[in-house]
Amino acid sequence: MDDRSRFGGARYVAFEGVEGAGKSTIARRVADFLEELGERVVLVREPGGTEVGERIRDILLTTGHEVAPRAEAALFAASRAQLIAETVSPAIAEGVWVLSDRTAYSSLAYQAGGRGLDIGEVFALNDIALAGVWPDVVVLLRVEPRVGLERQSGGDRIGNEETAFHEKVAAAFDDLAASEPDRFIVVDASAPVDDVVRAVLAELGIVR
Ligand code: TYD
């Protein structure tokens, strides 16, 4: 591990991006690589990752009911609060890597950027839910929304939104990355998976 890299010491890493960007695949591959190096790793997903969170996930992602934007934001934040309390904070305290398939940055992109809620309010809501525990690093896997949506098999309630919604989400992720360059690693996720994994490992200082 190269602790001199710009992310030396980072342990809580978020994987973010639009639908079909490959977050789960890349997070899994990075976790495998770290485990092969003898590191302890916890891989989580949002919404969900805990029993309570998975029940909230069901409400959020099944179709057949309307969820008001503020209720949607609050439910994502509630699922996240449970995950932070149960899993993320204890793991960080033990020096374990936490790789998260989505985090509060998805709420900033989807509920603020996509749904149009005020970004300051979504930030504040999540800061409370997270008890201030934001990821050290956000890996933004960048792909054109159309390409990502084509990679998807069947969408959930939010994945099924029209392309214009996903374009707003993608633009919001780009804005977030531009406004926090010290926290973001931006990777072209239309490249082959091996190349994406290598780029992420290099940026994190795990390989040279
Ligand atoms: P996810 O299970 O990661 O789906 P996918 O792998 O298809 O991207 O996320 C489920 C959906 O929930 C996805 O459409 C993004 C959305 N979402 C939000 O709108 N806000 C959030 O805070 C999170 C975590 C996810």
Side-chain angles (χ1 to χ4, degrees):
M1 209 78 29
D2 181 3
D3 272 2
R4 290 162 306 174
S5 85
R6 78 178 170 121
F7 295 117
R11 288 294 177 272
Y12 182 19
V13 182
F15 292 82
E16 296 282 4
V18 296
E19 317 290 311
K23 297 172 299 297
S24 317
T25 307
I26 305 299
R28 177 76 262 165
R29 290 276 305 269
V30 173
D32 290 346
F33 194 93
L34 283 166
E35 278 168 352
E36 277 164 27
L37 291 178
E39 296 283 326
R40 287 194 296 158
V41 183
V42 175
L43 187 58
V44 294
R45 72 161 179 181
E46 292 193 16
T50 62
E51 194 186 331
V52 166
E54 291 296 327
R55 288 162 80 172
I56 296 172
R57 180 183 174 92
D58 247 23
I59 302 172
L60 279 165
L61 299 184
T62 52
T63 51
H65 52 260
E66 291 291 313
V67 182
R70 281 169 184 275
E72 187 176 278
L75 285 166
F76 277 115
S79 164
R80 181 166 297 131
Q82 188 71 23
L83 183 67
I84 294 287
E86 243 182 66
T87 309
V88 176
S89 288
I92 292 172
E94 287 187 22
V96 174
W97 285 84
V98 179
L99 305 188
S100 189
D101 182 351
R102 295 195 183 278
T103 58
Y105 282 90
S106 280
S107 281
L108 298 176
Y110 281 79
Q111 279 63 56
R115 297 285 190 227
L117 293 179
D118 180 86
I119 193 163
E121 289 181 358
V122 177
F123 179 89
L125 172 66
N126 279 278
D127 204 35
I128 293 168
L130 297 169
V133 183
W134 289 77
D136 302 315
V137 185
V138 182
V139 177
L140 175 58
L141 299 170
R142 237 181 140 267
V143 72
E144 285 300 316
R146 265 173 220 286
V147 175
L149 289 167
E150 277 164 18
R151 285 178 180 175
Q152 298 280 84
S153 37
D156 50 53
R157 193 181 58 82
I158 297 174
N160 282 342
E161 288 287 343
E162 72 279 18
T163 305
F165 173 87
H166 295 289
E167 279 166 355
K168 285 194 256 176
V169 171
F173 273 129
D174 285 346
D175 289 348
L176 288 164
S179 69
E180 288 194 82
D182 292 343
R183 195 186 303 247
F184 272 77
I185 294 173
V186 181
V187 181
D188 173 12
S190 64
V193 169
D194 283 349
D195 295 354
V196 176
V197 173
R198 204 172 309 120
V200 172
L201 291 171
E203 285 275 4
L204 285 172
I206 297 168
V207 297
R208 282 181 198 270

